[in-house]
Every structure is written in C-alpha cells, then in structure tokens.
C-alpha cells in the first residue's frame, strides 16, 4: 500500500478479484492407494456448476468454473454456458485431457507412435471447438507426457513432436483465445517429464507467439524452488498466463491453497501485485484435490486463503519498502513485508464481504445454507464424478 | 573381497542369495492419473505365483513370493503354500493392508475413532493367523496413516494409538515370527505420516522387543537422505529386518531397483555385506510398480540389478579398503570402492547361472520361453489383479 | 488456549519464556565465498556478553548466552560468569568446537587416527571443566565429522568411535549437567555425516542415559522433513533437550528464526506447548548467522519471532481442537489451528512487555538506545570475533 | 555406437576430447567452517599452470586452464599465455569475480547502489580486456547476487539491473568472444538468487544475442532436477555454452565429477553425444573444491571420470536404441542404455592413452612422477592460493 493507497483502494482491489474453480475439484479424487468417495458429490457437469455457484455465492470472488474434457463433455456447450450464467457463474478455461486413454501409456503428443500423436492433437483441436461454443478464452494444456526410464525414448525428439502439436493447435486459436502451457516436475512420469519446468514452457511460448502463456501450478516444482521469483520473471517477460493454486509439503500434494505455507502464498501474491498482475489477464485458478476433507467448504476455504494473501500483499507499504530497499536496510525492508503478512486481514475481508451484501463468514454461511444436506440427500444413484469418470 | 576371498567364495555367496518378489507387482498398477492394464496380468493369487515361479526359474535367486492381504485372500492358505512349493517357490512375508477400506479415510490403527482402530487391529491379527497357515515368518506392516493438514489430528496421540496396536499384534506373534515395521516420508498422507522415518520405526521396535524389526524401503526417504547410512546403522543396532527394493528419481516412484541410481544400490549392498547382512535374517524384498513396462521381465531385470549390485559389493577389496581408510588416504579408499563398482560383473553372473544349470541371460531366456505369449492368450476374462482388486 | 486458559495465563507463560542467544552470532560470519565484516562487532567474549545483555534488556526473554570453546576461551570463567550476571544475563550452554583445527580434516572423535580422537575427547572433557566453572548446565555437542566420498572411511567403525567418545564424556558429567547431541544432514561433510538425523542422535542418547538429550536445529534436515513431528516424538520419548532456532529456504541457511517459514515455527511451538515442553528443561537457543544484516537487531527480531510463534501456539483453542479432532472434522480442526496462527499477536506482546516495564517495540527501542552508534565508535582496533577467531 | 561406428571411431572421439581445469581448484578451498590447507599448494598463477600441465600430461585430455580474476591477476597476460603454452596447455575461460569485495555485500551488478553496480561492470569489462590479452574465447559470469530475506530488495528491479550490465558487457565482446552465463539455485544468497535456474539464464541470453550462452554447473540445481533434460534442451536451442562439472549428494558440494552419481554423469554425456555437443563449441570445464583430498590427483580422477562417462556414452548402440524407442519397448530401450553404462571402459581408455604414448594409468603415473614430493618440498613460504587470495 503506497502512501496514496487508501483502505478503500485496497477494498476495491479485493472486490474485483476473480478466481476460477476447477469442476473436477468438486468430484472425487485421491491417491494411487485409494479414492475415498464422499456423499453428495456431483454426478454431472451441471451439478458441478451448481456447487461452484455456491462457492461464488458465499465468497463473491469465484465467478468462473474451469472445465475438463472429456470429464465435462456434454452435447450442447452453449446450453451449458447458459446454465452456468443462470447460476451466476461463467465457464472458464477448457482443460484438455490426454492422459487417461490406454493409447497414452507412452505419451500423447510426444508419443513415438504418430497415430497416437494424431489422436491427441485431434483432442486438443476439439477443445478449441468447445471453447468456441462456451466462449472460453483459455485452452489449458497439461501433458503427463514423459518417460519413466533413461533411454525409454529420445528426449529431444519428444520436444520436436511437442513443438509440432503446439504449433498446430496455436494456429487453430481464435483472435481472443489463448493457450496456457503448464509445466510439472514429475508424476506421472518418473524419469523425464516433457515440460518439467517454467523454462521449457516459456521457450515453447516464445516460439508460438503472444497468445501462448505459461501456467504456474504452485505444486509443480522441485523442492526449494523459489516460486515467487518465477512469477516475477514471467510477469516481467509478459508470459504469465495463469495460476493453478494449491499447496504442498512434499510433492504435488494438491492441498488447499495456503494450507502448507501461507507465507509463500503471500510472497507470490506480493509479486503479482508488484508486477501489475492483479489487473492483468492472468487467470487465477485453483487446482486441488480434496481427498479427505469436505469438498465445497475446502474450496471456499482455499478461495478465502488466496483472498487473505492478496489482501496482505495489497497492504504492503510500497513506499516504505522502496525506501528501505534503496538504502540497503535489510532488516527494515524485510520488516515492511512482514508487517503486512502479520496483519490479521480477516476483519477487512469481512467488511469487503458485507459491503457486497455477503455474509462476513463464508464458511459458516455455507454450513448454515443447508446445501450440503440437500446434495447428500438428492444426489443418490448415478455415477459420482471423479478423475477417471 | 578380502585377500582371502576367492572368486569361488563370491560365486558361492551369489548362489545363496534369496530375494522375495511381491505378488502385487505382477498385477496392474499405476498412478492417481491412470492405471494402464496389461494383457496377461494374473487374475488370481495362484496366477501370481505362477509368474513368480518364472522369475525364480530364470534367475535362480528369487525363491519367495510375498502376499498382500486382502488382495491375496484365499480360502485355504495351506493349499496355497503347497501350490507354491510345487512351482518351486515358497510364500514369504504377509503384508497387511489397512488402507483401502472407506473406514480408513482418517487412519487405521491411529484413527481417532476406536471402532476403526479395532477393525484395523483385527486385520493385523488375522494376518498372523494367515502366517500360521502359510508358514510365513514375517508380518510386514506399512501404515498409510497420517494427516493431510496441520491440526487435523493430534500427532502425539496417534503415536500412542499406534503403539497400542503394535503391542497387541506383537504379543500375538509366534516364537519364530517377526514383525517388520516400514516407514515412509509421505503419500498418501501429505502433512504428517505417523511412521515417517527410520527413527520412529526403530523407537517402536525397541519398545516391542527383538522380534520387531525395521524395513527399509529404498524409495521412502526425503531427498538427499543417505540410505546406506541408515542400513549400516540399523545393522549395527541389530534392527534391520528387511528391504523393500525399488528406485526413484523424485518421490516414491517405485521404479525397478537399480534403475535410477545403480551406484546407490551398490553402496547399500556394500553396507549390507560389510555389516554381515548377507548371511543374516534380513528379508530382501522387491516392492515396485511396473506401470508402463512389461511386468515379469521388469521383475527379472530388477532381480538381476540387485544381484549385480551384490556381486560388485562382494568384489570390494576389503583389505585394501581398510588400509586406505586407516591411513586416511581419501582418494585411494574411494578408488577401491569405485574399482568394484566399475567392474562389469555380468560375465561373472553368467557363470554363476550356468553353474546352476540356468541360461546365462535370464531376460532372453524368458523372452524365448513362450510364457508371455501363453499368459496373454490364456488369461482372458475374469478380473485382472491390481492394487484395488 | 483451553476454555480455562485466560489471557492472563497466556501472558504469564510468555513472560517466563527464556531464550538463549549464541555468543558467536554477535561476531562476523559468512559463507565460503566471503565473510562481510560489520562495524562494531565484538572483539572479546565480554563484548559479546555486552551485546547479548542488550538483546535481553529490550526483549525481556533472552536471559542466557551460550559460549563456544575455544572461541570464547578466557582465563577466568568464574569472573566471566560474574561479568554476565552484572549485565543481567547468565552463561548458558558450552558448545564444544572440534572442527577448526587442522587435525580434524578427517574427523574429530570419529577420526581413524586414535591420536586425533584423543585430542578431540580431551577438548570435550575440557568443556565440562569449563561448565563446572561457569555453572553451565549443558554441554552442546555438534560434530562436523563425516566423509566426503563413498569408501573414504568405514561408516560403522565411525559409529563405534563416536560411541566411545560420548560414553567417556558422559561419565565425566556432574549430576546436574547434561549432554546435548546435535544432528545435521550435511555440511561440511558431503557424503555421510556421522550424526545425520534425530534417529542417530536418539539412539546414542538411549545408550548413554537420561542426561543425554537431542538438540533439534531447525535448519539441519533434509528437504520436506516434518520438524514438528520430530519435536513431538522426542518430547513423547523424553529426549528433547534443546532447540537451535534459525530458518532456511534451502540448506542450513542460518537465517533469522521465523524468517523463512513462520507457519512452520508456529507448528513447532504448538507441539512444544502441546507436549509440555514450554515448562520443561528444554533449552531454547538460537543458532544463526547474520551475514548481511545488522547483528544485534537481527537477534532481537529472531527472539521476537520465536516469541510471536509461542504466543500464537498458546492461543490455540485446545478444547475446540480436541473436539474437532475427535469427530474427524478435518476442516474444523485445521481452522482452529489457523485461527491462532492468523491472529496478530503483536498487540498482546506489546502488553506483555509493557507489563514488564519494557518498551513495547524492542526494535525501535534498540535503534533509539544509541548502543549501535556507541559500539561502532568504540570497538575499533583489535580483532573482530568471527567463526575462525 | 551406431552399427557403423567402429571402435576406432570411438577411440578417435575420445582422443580429441578437451577438458578445461580451473586454476582455483589447485588452490586451497573449504567450507564456511574451515579451509584445510594442503602442502605443496601453488602460490602463484604460474604454479597453478604448472599443476594443470601435469594433469594434461598424464591424461592427455585437459589442455586448457581457466583463470579467475582477480585471483589470477598478473601484470602481463600475454606472457602468462606464453608460459602456459610452453608447459603444453593454453589459457581458457576468464572467470569474473564480483563477490569478494566488501562492496558486494548486497550484490554486484544487481546492487541497489549504482556506484557498486558501476564498479562491478567495470570489472566485467576489465575481464574482456584480459581475454583480449590471453586470447581466451570465453567470459564466464557467475553472480553471487541475490537476497537473503523476502522484501530485502525488489526481485524485478534486480533483473533490470542485471540485464543492463549484461548488455553493456555483451557489446564489448569481440567477434570471436562469448559470454557464458551461469545459474545457481542458492548460496551465498539464501532467499532469491538473481539467476537461479537455466530458464533465467536462457531468457537473458536470448535478448543478448548468439554470443551469449548458458553454463550448466552440475551442482547448481534443486534436488530432483533432471540435468540431462536441461542439457538436451539447451543443445536443441543452440544455447549450451559450457559445463562446470562436479558432483554432489546434497547442495553445491563441489565433489569430484562423477563421484556422487556416475550414472547421472553418463546420462548427461549421452545427451551431449546425442545432441552433437561433443564436436561443438561447448567448453567442458571442471569446477570443484578438493577440500580434504589431494588436489592434483583429485583433478586427474575427475578428468578420468568424465572421460569414462564419455566413453560409455559413445558406446551406446544408437541404432538398437532408436529401434527400441520406435517400437515403444521400454525395457529394451532402457537395456540398450544400461548395457553401455555397465561396460567396463577402463581397458578401452588405457588403449586410448597408450595409443597417444601415455601411461595407461594416469593416477599411478602421477604418483610415480615425483611431482607431488617436489612441490611439497619447493613450495614453501609465500601465500598459498585459495578462494580468498
């Protein structure tokens, strides 16, 4: 917060925040050891949208829902978009899925077999068709492609194949559509992932053009990686397209954003604010797995955690910070940042909500809304949504 | 190899090596993203034993098969043991499974709910009953128990509950039976695993008694952990009960033993040899997931990798090493170790196999045996075994 | 905070907190690349004590100073202790240094050369002599001992030698004296450290007796290690003797406590509170390197960070937490913990200080005290203290 | 080795290999805890060159010596180059040092203070002057620049300052000169290093032009990073300028290349061979610290380790590998790679040396040469070279 930044300005910034929740987070998820099903989990994409609309209704800052194809395949996407609008939310990014068919055992767009590559590419292009229908701006691409054993495939040829698929898909994008390229260190590939780090995603984006942007999933880095540095760097390069928020203690744990290291989330949001990212085209998405906790409240909590981190980031006294940095006063500069982090922003956020006519406590409001009881009662029979659905 | 160790002694040591393969590695496995089924995968425990017997037939050093309960539940364990014997192998450790029932969402023996704890304990005791029937010596205990979020449960109370279950189970063991306690840093628990490291497993073993021993799974450590140090320490303490061999580049990747870091496997086997572990009661088990590679040959390769590492460890010139260590000659001491590692032991192992009447090349022999074609053709219909089976 | 825990009780607990600051943190430190000297750094142990007394004067919770031998070698330790008392502090743990003589290139108490081992042992015993003179309760033992290359020395023999030195030293301890054994994953040993983890330290303590306790240095673990789990476990075992607080993003960075991950520090202090550690014999020490920031204020800040984490830990609603844990309500239990963490405890701590007649803002008070200007002016000439001094 | 690759071709490739040893590795080095001086260590750059010439004389593949300025500052660089030539070696990369002056406490080219930035830039330009005099092709830039605490300085502004310094230096380069940009995850910066990863170095190189290339130091990555992937990627992008070889178990341990993970070194060299890097402009340099082992033989051993890894990489049957990869035979493809790795190439390398008139065993030849005894006797008095010299 610069000297000139009033509390009102902070509140205004917080009011306009818009997060995107992932349709699949409302469904069942788990680990390779076990997926624990939960009562009331949606069976259809419409039910997922119903749940997402509840998250937005209580938090006021989660107006978009990302889809995952084919998990969210429907016959009429325009009707789906209308359904969402009626429930107060809009459809967000289209997430392509090229990892769950048997054909993809050794890769999708990087598979040594050209037939499999073609199939995967067709799916990517189909996703752009869906974007046309839903009006979605973003095509989100995460590839599980990689190898488990040294020698299994040629690392370099896989980059060539990847590049080809990306280019063809990029050509298919409309003027207002973007391609978001996600990187991930490992899992499910256990030796070499084809897009393992931001550098690789960035290098491909450069060659593709301005509509290609990098996605930072906060759980996809090697231990010790300074994520906020990557955020600042990509913002400086104009290549930060989106976040997949979640948190982790170990690997890609996919815990609730801010749950494992709230200070890190604050530092990330500080770099976003500092780099002008809050008012940019960046898509702020969640990508989490609520394996053992109740899903809708877990998503509400995650949204609130991102919101709290944002509020703290906005409260940093930019002038005092700049002055301490300029004079090389290490402790004073650090203290300015920590002062904002140590502030309890919950009262401020309660105000923001009340100003918007919302209950100041979204968690309590959801619990009291009766929604959970209703879906547990009504969503009986059918097949619950899940990663494999 | 001390001055007095002849090549014959090395060969003799290699001939008597006995590895244990896990029944579940013959079934389907995968990641949370996808399980790729393979043709010819066993549908029953007997078919798993058939496959294990093939591994032993070609390598000569894998005479035991570990079972996983309830995956390998049968009506008549004595009959199963006899079936195994007829196929040239014996039944090894009984692995308890207290992680795949819905009840275990928040833990098994450490669950806050006493009813769930009792159910889990009953399963452990049932496994000892099975050991009585199969004649198995070892009860292997791995608990997925832990928490995903700080505060979720009381870390200390969970240790108390764990201790109680272990004591009751320990009391149930027969004179010649052992309890093997496995530790794991994380997954599926993503905040605090109840037995995360060797220290915790060891502390419990000390309180239980001499029949409680630690299992070192080579994929279950934090990055940078020196596994051979743990092996040497547990051997010195008389508490190394077993290995679960596999390898990894990142987390618990469960790749083929020796595939990711053959030098590490060699160092581990060197400490085993140096600490007298090769002729001890240690159970040398594999615990791997062959997600994308053919399962039986992958297990044969893993067995061969452990065998090669053992051969190299046996070839270390113990006298030269001791002398270099005594005089503080860092480079010379390291060179003695590296000399053994850099030796190509494949000709030696070919000899060992031929001496035993085996084909010198187990991989080729398996490929030529026709077994793979046979099982692909015959094992049609039914339900393939897998982690969730 | 249980229902019955009043704010007064929390304040009382905070008032009685007693941290120990390390004499060496007031001197120069750095990395292998460069030690940046700072003006005003103490030249003598008495000057270090002067600085430590300033930290205590402003914070009220740092009444002890740890010494490092031979860095703090003086002729008359009783006089030194008196000097400290006159300045309002007392002498704390005696830290043995067996890593800076040329003899220790290949180890101290684990060196293959018995002459070097004897020299190192003599130093340990000398430290107990010093404890007798200073009245210190604790002998803190950190060994840099280890190997850089596989094969360099025999891992197991080194444990035998270590055990011998520890036993002889233990025998020398007086009735009210303790031995604190510190572990560290790596650095300066780059292959195998002789006490790399809590399990190894614990195993040695068990064999030595009740006066041997483990030190948890918060920067000495592998990436991903759950430190609060270790704290809870050692407390449960009655073997947590002390903390060396500091923080890190990567390796043993030795940054100010709480600077890198304040949530982790809070979780650690929560386990301390939960396990009764706050009112136990645990020595709460700092062990940090202020390479680029001003030293005395950095130590004040670190003390305040520990204090804030303690305050938050004390504020956890124990009853609500227990209830949520008992019923398996993951989100509610986590929320209870987070509620305490998200509380801004700075006003409460300002009150605690004012109640004790201190300035509510120790950082400002130190800046305004004129001490820094005074020492910069007066401490000219002589040799500044540093790690190698 | 493709079907068409004869043993002679492999030997020819090995004969033409040219490694560069670092002048500073012949001097004393250590950790922040202690630098253990060694007898016979050079006092001057000429003595370092003498030692480097011994390494080349015995191995035949280390014809270049890298210099470090100001450690290797001399009055007459042309004379120094001639001195080197007379001893059978040439001067290699010039390494700029902007981390050991007091001014650089908060950074060199990224320092918030423009005066310090100017000083650092002048040093970089001076290094190009030296290159002109020595005829060196490469300016190697490693910056210790970064911050220790969040907020300490503005991450993004530091990139701007860095960019400016790099551009000015780039403009100064002659037509045949290159700039090699090194990245490093951490140390001595403990929060955010200004060039922490290959992506950042690569992004700067792209903006600078074709003479800017990335240096891969094998010890400068986060745990779990797949280094050979980076190597393959940079080769594909035409931006791999050089290697700094060394090895590590934990952080930037700077152990002998190939000592910690020989399989990793092999995989790296395989990607070099596969990507045409062996016959490219890549500078193959060592950058190591021989803290406890004898320096010259340690460097000989390191050179031999790189050579052995190269030989194994050359032996990979490229045709068989391509065929197995094409057909998706995971195990067969991995086996082709492992077959080369498991080959004992020491006899082949002995032949290569004998063909060049060298002793087949460089370590023994050095021991028997009397050089070590000579330098220990002669290099008495003066000041031994070291990192701080």
């Amino acid at each position: 917060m610069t000297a000139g930044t009033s509390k009102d300005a902070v509140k205004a910034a917080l009011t306009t925040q818009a997060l995107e929740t992932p349709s699949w987070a409302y469904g069942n998820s788990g680990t390779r050891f076990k997926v624990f099903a939960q009562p009331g989990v949606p069976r259809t994409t419409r039910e997922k949208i119903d749940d997402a609309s509840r998250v937005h209704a209580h938090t006021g800052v989660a107006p978009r829902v990302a889809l995952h194809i084919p998990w969210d395949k429907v016959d009429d996407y325009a009707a789906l978009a209308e359904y969402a609008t009626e429930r107060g939310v809009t459809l967000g990014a289209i997430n392509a899925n090229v990892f769950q068919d048997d054909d993809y055992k050794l890769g999708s767009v990087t598979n040594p077999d050209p037939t499999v590559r073609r199939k995967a590419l067709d799916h990517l292009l189909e996703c752009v068709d869906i974007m046309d229908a839903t009006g979605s701006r973003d095509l989100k691409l995460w590839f599980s492609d990689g190898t488990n054993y040294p020698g299994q495939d040629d690392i370099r040829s896989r980059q060539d194949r990847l590049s080809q698929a990306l280019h063809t898909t990029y050509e298919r994008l409309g003027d207002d559509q973007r391609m978001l390229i996600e990187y991930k260190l490992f899992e499910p590939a256990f030796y070499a992932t084809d897009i393992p780090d931001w550098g690789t995603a960035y290098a491909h984006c450069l060659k593709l053009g301005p509509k290609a942007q990098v996605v930072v999933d906060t759980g996809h880095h090697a231990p010790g990686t300074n994520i906020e540095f990557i955020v600042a760097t990509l913002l400086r390069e104009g290549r930060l397209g989106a976040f997949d928020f979640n948190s982790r203690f170990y690997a890609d744990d996919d815990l609730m954003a801010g749950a494992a290291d709230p200070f890190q989330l604050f530092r990330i949001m500080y770099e976003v604010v500092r780099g002008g990212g809050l008012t940019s085209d960046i898509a702020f998405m969640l990508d989490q797995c609520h394996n053992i906790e109740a899903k809708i409240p877990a998503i509400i909590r995650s949204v609130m955690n991102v919101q709290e981190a944002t509020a703290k980031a906005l409260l940093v006294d930019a002038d005092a910070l700049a002055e301490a940095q300029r004079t090389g006063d290490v402790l004073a500069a650090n203290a300015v940042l920590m002062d904002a982090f140590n502030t309890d922003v919950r009262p401020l956020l309660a105000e923001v909500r009340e100003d918007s006519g919302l209950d100041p406590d979204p968690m309590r409001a959801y619990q009291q809304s009766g929604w959970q009881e209703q879906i547990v009662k009504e969503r009986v029979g059918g097949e619950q949504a899940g990663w494999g659905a």
Side-chain angles (χ1 to χ4, degrees), chain A:
Chain A
M1 184 160 73
T2 64
T5 312
S6 64
K7 183 180 166 190
D8 283 349
V10 171
K11 286 170 69 174
L14 290 168
T15 309
T16 56
Q17 192 166 29
L19 302 182
E20 189 165 325
T21 68
S23 70
W24 56 96
Y26 299 96
N28 287 321
S29 64
T31 69
R32 61 176 168 149
F33 295 100
K34 170 73 176 174
V35 173
F36 293 103
Q38 294 190 9
V41 153
R43 283 91 39 101
T44 65
T45 297
R46 294 193 171 205
E47 288 182 355
K48 294 179 201 171
I49 290 172
D50 292 342
D51 289 355
S53 80
R54 293 303 82 210
V55 172
H56 183 49
H58 292 298
T59 62
V61 292
R64 278 198 296 274
V65 199
L67 301 185
H68 212 285
I69 306 298
W71 297 343
D72 292 316
K73 221 164 182 171
V74 294
D75 289 332
D76 185 340
Y77 289 98
L80 189 72
E82 201 184 315
Y83 181 85
T85 309
E86 285 163 7
R87 265 125 206 100
V89 293
T90 58
L91 300 182
I94 301 300
N95 288 258
N97 177 324
V98 282
F99 56 87
Q100 288 199 332
D101 284 5
D102 284 324
D103 285 334
Y104 298 140
K105 188 167 82 165
L106 302 182
S108 64
V109 295
T110 68
N111 198 301
D113 181 342
T115 318
V116 178
R117 293 206 295 275
R118 183 69 236 179
K119 171 179 167 173
L121 177 59
D122 286 343
H123 176 71
L124 303 189
L125 298 174
E126 179 198 0
C127 285
V128 186
D129 294 340
I130 293 173
M131 290 164 67
D132 291 341
T134 58
S136 295
R137 180 188 58 177
D138 294 334
L139 174 66
K140 185 137 71 76
L141 300 178
W142 171 66
F143 300 103
S144 70
D145 291 51
T147 49
N148 276 9
Y149 290 99
Q152 176 187 328
D153 197 5
D154 187 56
I155 286 177
R156 184 159 169 167
S157 302
R158 292 176 79 93
Q159 289 298 313
D160 296 336
R161 298 171 201 146
L162 172 63
S163 175
Q164 227 168 9
L166 291 176
H167 271 94
T168 307
T169 308
Y170 189 88
E171 295 308 315
R172 169 66 186 81
L173 291 175
D175 286 348
D176 298 329
Q177 291 176 335
R178 308 191 306 172
M179 171 188 283
L180 304 174
I181 302 179
E182 191 167 341
Y183 58 91
K184 186 179 184 184
L185 181 64
F186 79 100
E187 196 214 19
F190 291 134
Y191 165 57
T193 298
D194 292 323
I195 312 183
D197 52 18
W198 76 266
T200 307
Y202 165 80
H204 281 287
C205 283
L206 285 186
K207 296 196 177 68
L208 291 167
K211 292 186 284 188
Q213 298 272 316
V214 180
V215 182
V216 174
D217 181 299
T218 50
H220 287 187
H221 304 87
T225 302
N226 183 324
I227 300 174
E228 59 268 29
F229 177 90
I230 296 173
V231 168
T233 297
L234 285 172
L235 268 166
R236 185 175 174 273
E237 299 282 334
R239 290 287 176 175
L240 180 58
F243 279 100
D244 266 4
F245 287 115
N246 52 58
S247 75
R248 65 82 169 286
F249 289 95
Y250 304 97
D252 188 28
D253 306 344
D254 277 328
L255 302 178
M256 300 186 296
D261 189 346
F263 183 44
Q264 183 188 59
L265 182 56
F266 160 74
R267 298 193 311 265
I268 289 172
M269 291 313 301
Y270 170 72
E271 294 299 337
V272 167
V273 169
R274 188 266 175 251
L278 215 53
T279 53
S280 73
D281 282 340
I282 296 171
F284 295 91
M285 306 187 279
L286 301 179
D287 186 5
Q288 308 178 154
C289 292
H290 309 294
N291 297 348
I292 60 166
E293 68 272 22
K295 290 166 197 300
I296 299 173
I299 297 171
I300 292 175
R301 170 63 68 202
S302 306
V303 168
M304 292 172 69
N305 284 350
V306 175
Q307 214 182 2
E308 291 176 17
T310 309
K312 292 180 177 195
L314 287 163
L315 288 175
V316 172
D317 184 334
D319 294 340
L321 184 60
E323 176 60 14
Q325 290 174 342
R326 198 187 55 74
T327 57
D329 190 336
V330 176
L331 290 171
N334 177 245
V336 172
L337 205 77
M338 297 313 294
D339 183 34
F341 178 69
N342 286 323
T343 302
D344 189 343
V345 296
R346 294 174 297 175
L348 176 70
L349 287 167
E351 260 185 57
V352 167
R353 288 180 200 116
E354 283 179 321
D355 290 353
S356 306
L358 299 175
D359 188 300
D361 182 344
M363 291 294 281
R364 186 189 53 196
Y366 175 74
Q367 301 298 356
Q368 295 176 349
S369 71
W371 182 258
Q372 192 68 33
E373 292 75 10
Q374 184 183 331
I375 57 178
V376 167
K377 206 175 70 187
E378 293 181 356
R379 293 178 183 168
V380 173
E383 197 179 350
Q384 290 192 325
W387 278 27

